[in-house]
Amino acid sequence: MVNIMKKFLAILLALALVVTCFAACGSDTGSSSAAGESSTGTSSAAEDGSSATEEETSTDNGDLPTITLMIVCGTTPPDADAVASALSEITAEKIGCNVEFITMEVGNAKQQMNLLLSGGDNTLDVFWADNGGTSVSFVTAAANGQALVLDELLEPYADEMKEALGENVYTSGTVNGEMYGVGRLLDQASTTMFNLRADIAEEFGYANGDKLSGLDELTELFTKIHEKYPDTPIIGPMNGSINWGDTRVDNLGDSNMLGVLGNFGQDDTVSNYYESDEYAERIECVKTWMEMGIYMPDLMNTTEAPSDYMPAGKAFGCFAGHFSAEMNGIWSSQNFGVETATLQVYDDAVAVTPGAYYCINPNTKNPEECAGLLYLMATDPDVVNLLVNGVEGLDYQVLEDEDNGGSYAAYLEGKDVSSTGWCMGYSWTALNSSISLPFEYPSNYFDLMLEANSSAQQSKAFGCQFDSTEYADALTACTNVVSQYSNPILSGTVQDVDATVAQFQQALKDAGIDEIIAGKQAQLDAFLGK
């Protein structure tokens, strides 16, 4: 293992001068902030991607092969070695291997994964790919031969994995007829929410978890609040932007919405979202809200988080996205420093293709053991709970949920996000978090998530993987256009909304959005058998 890590170190050092450091971003409820070095075989990659350190592994599991697994966290967690050791006790018995972690900070994972996979390295055996946001693009990795074909390897486990994940999720990692990744089971059906200070919500007859009838009712509520509190903005930023997504369409795995399926994914024609009725409705809201004066001033350049401005009364709320308004309100109350009521804007939701996949490096020396590890990560509660919550008594405690008749994981007494030893709040990186203990959520959290998945309208494009290889130039150009126009428009920071929207639409045309839409349509038609 030392030689492997030396090779990893050499790759990173060689490219350090040309690699741009990405700042870590807050993508979930928390992260471990105490950095630690490895002492029993867990490697940690430095924030700028320029170094990695590791010491010799000492194990009681004999000469079993060791599988390296990608772990994404806020910073390198100090208890990573203990978690890996506990995990290896299970994997040694059940699939005949040990497991070591390659930890990557969430803001740098994409950079480091590109380095590893483009170099044909075998340092990392099992890795996580997505739509190119946090990690490498799954479809690109499959197209470039950077992910192993899994059909035969997973055949002995397929039935159990389909039962655990759902067949539609299990098979969604299929590209051009071959399976390159196992789909992550998470919330497939998020919908647009608005976080509002709970005292303000209650004053106007709303409570956490309430459903609205749409944007018109939200505007009516904003009007009433503004009439009573004219000097306090209502809409603030979340993670530095308006964070106002439109969950009435399937964006086909592209957060820039460059070709979507409308009508909650029930259309079978890919359309230009920025010329749709849904977008036009949002633009009318923007103009109304700007005229009312309820945006937080200079929202696009405001660096304050909800925890800064909501308790201080600088603004009453912000947009969000979640499968459950009730659960999002619980999370927001824990993290914003003030009791928060989350209101669901749209009554319906669309279940879309999983956003991430676990893959096997084609250069691995132990493909069968890697396949076994994927099996356990999908089906074994003990394995998943270790990966999600760490070691009981060391990283978390189990508490009883009297209201719902179950148990949940919570911080140890005296611990919080700044002092925890594991990647608390990163359950979204797990292959199947639904069989773990919810962390700091009610015990029925994952039951509600699965219920939301099953009750949502499944998009006709569920499982369709868009191969963007031949549209790379147009995608880059259109993405730049979206970055230039979308957030400023939705944040109410442009002078003439209608004129700016027209410029936006024309700029997308000039950048090649029609080419992208036609490409997505052709691939969707093939997927649907047309």
Side-chain angles (χ1 to χ4, degrees):
M1 189 65 189
V2 172
N3 290 334
I4 291 175
M5 289 311 300
K6 285 182 178 178
K7 180 160 59 175
F8 183 36
L9 174 61
I11 293 172
L12 295 178
L13 287 174
L15 293 176
L17 294 178
V18 296
V19 173
T20 300
C21 174
F22 290 93
C25 62
S27 299
D28 206 323
T29 59
S31 64
S32 170
S33 63
E37 295 298 331
S38 171
S39 61
T40 61
T42 303
S43 69
S44 61
E47 184 170 342
D48 62 359
S50 62
S51 66
T53 60
E54 182 178 11
E55 295 181 10
E56 198 85 48
T57 300
S58 174
T59 178
D60 295 327
N61 293 328
D63 296 325
L64 297 177
T66 296
I67 303 302
T68 51
L69 172 65
M70 175 185 179
I71 295 292
V72 177
C73 198
T75 61
T76 302
D79 291 344
D81 299 327
V83 178
S85 177
L87 180 59
S88 293
E89 290 297 320
I90 299 174
T91 58
E93 177 184 350
K94 293 190 174 183
I95 57 173
C97 69
N98 299 313
V99 176
E100 292 179 357
F101 297 148
I102 301 291
T103 57
M104 298 186 183
E105 296 183 6
V106 65
N108 307 312
K110 182 176 179 179
Q111 166 194 343
Q112 293 167 9
M113 285 304 304
N114 276 323
L115 280 172
L116 284 171
L117 294 180
S118 63
D121 196 88
N122 65 358
T123 299
L124 186 56
D125 294 307
V126 176
F127 65 93
W128 182 58
D130 57 12
N131 293 323
T134 300
S135 185
V136 293
S137 163
F138 167 64
V139 177
T140 301
N144 291 343
Q146 295 170 333
L148 196 63
V149 175
L150 302 178
D151 300 81
E152 291 186 13
L153 276 173
L154 291 180
E155 186 174 358
Y157 310 116
D159 290 343
E160 289 183 70
M161 293 179 74
K162 288 176 183 178
E163 183 177 355
L165 300 171
E167 184 167 3
N168 59 345
V169 173
Y170 177 79
T171 59
S172 64
T174 299
V175 179
N176 296 324
E178 293 183 305
M179 184 176 176
Y180 289 91
V182 180
R184 175 192 63 183
L185 176 59
L186 201 61
D187 52 321
Q188 299 155 6
S190 290
T191 187
T192 302
M193 312 277 181
F194 191 79
N195 293 317
L196 185 62
R197 237 176 53 188
D199 58 333
I200 301 298
E202 182 180 1
E203 184 175 350
F204 292 91
Y206 291 92
N208 183 48
D210 282 353
K211 291 183 178 181
L212 308 181
S213 59
L215 288 173
D216 286 344
E217 185 175 353
L218 185 64
T219 298
E220 291 174 8
L221 175 59
F222 286 169
T223 301
K224 294 175 183 178
I225 296 172
H226 184 61
E227 287 175 352
K228 184 164 185 180
Y229 300 99
D231 298 328
T232 303
I234 298 174
I235 305 172
M238 178 68 169
N239 294 331
S241 74
I242 184 68
N243 200 43
W244 178 18
D246 193 336
T247 54
R248 295 171 293 178
V249 301
D250 181 353
N251 65 18
L252 303 177
D254 179 9
S255 60
N256 290 304
M257 315 283 273
L258 301 173
V260 303
L261 285 189
N263 189 27
F264 294 93
Q266 302 311 299
D267 290 347
D268 53 12
T269 300
V270 182
S271 59
N272 185 339
Y273 173 74
Y274 298 103
E275 295 180 351
S276 69
D277 291 340
E278 290 92 346
Y279 186 66
E281 181 189 19
R282 297 173 80 196
I283 295 304
E284 290 305 310
C285 286
V286 168
K287 292 190 290 186
T288 300
W289 298 343
M290 286 178 64
E291 186 177 350
M292 291 167 61
I294 61 173
Y295 280 103
M296 196 168 174
D298 200 18
L299 189 152
M300 280 291 294
N301 297 314
T302 299
T303 59
E304 288 182 290
S307 57
D308 298 317
Y309 64 76
M310 284 179 64
K314 296 180 181 179
F316 286 141
C318 60
F319 280 99
H322 206 278
F323 73 84
S324 165
E326 178 189 3
M327 295 298 111
N328 191 80
I330 291 173
W331 180 88
S332 301
S333 296
Q334 293 170 346
N335 288 273
F336 292 173
V338 64
E339 285 297 311
T340 304
T342 299
L343 309 178
Q344 182 172 323
V345 177
Y346 305 118
D347 188 50
D348 210 345
V350 53
V352 299
T353 304
Y357 298 83
Y358 270 92
C359 308
I360 297 176
N361 189 335
N363 297 302
T364 183
K365 295 179 180 179
N366 302 287
E368 289 79 12
E369 287 78 7
C370 290
L373 181 57
L374 291 179
Y375 161 68
L376 293 180
M377 290 168 64
T379 63
D380 191 307
D382 293 330
V383 166
V384 177
N385 203 61
L386 279 167
L387 292 171
V388 170
N389 293 317
V391 177
E392 183 179 356
L394 178 66
D395 302 305
Y396 72 96
Q397 60 177 321
V398 177
L399 299 179
E400 297 303 313
D401 179 2
E402 296 181 0
D403 292 335
N404 297 290
S407 302
Y408 64 96
Y411 287 114
L412 296 172
E413 292 294 330
K415 296 287 186 178
D416 58 21
V417 66
S418 66
S419 57
T420 182
W422 185 237
C423 306
M424 300 305 195
Y426 280 75
S427 61
W428 55 274
T429 67
L431 180 55
N432 183 9
S433 59
S434 71
I435 54 176
S436 68
L437 287 172
F439 178 71
E440 296 283 354
Y441 274 119
S443 61
N444 64 339
Y445 177 86
F446 290 120
D447 294 332
L448 294 174
M449 181 190 80
L450 296 176
E451 180 182 340
N453 287 351
S454 63
S455 63
Q457 298 187 63
Q458 181 168 297
S459 170
K460 289 186 176 180
F462 195 105
C464 181
Q465 300 289 349
F466 175 53
D467 184 356
S468 62
T469 306
E470 63 178 291
Y471 310 101
D473 291 342
L475 277 169
T476 298
C478 287
T479 296
N480 290 336
V481 171
V482 171
S483 297
Q484 178 182 352
Y485 285 99
S486 181
N487 269 331
I489 291 172
L490 295 179
S491 300
T493 58
V494 299
Q495 292 292 325
D496 187 328
V497 176
D498 289 333
T500 306
V501 168
Q503 294 171 8
F504 180 24
Q505 293 168 334
Q506 185 59 51
L508 285 172
K509 294 279 189 184
D510 296 340
I513 191 172
D514 290 336
E515 176 187 352
I516 298 169
I517 290 173
K520 288 186 175 181
Q521 186 68 61
Q523 293 184 32
L524 178 62
D525 288 346
F527 175 78
L528 296 176
K530 294 187 177 181

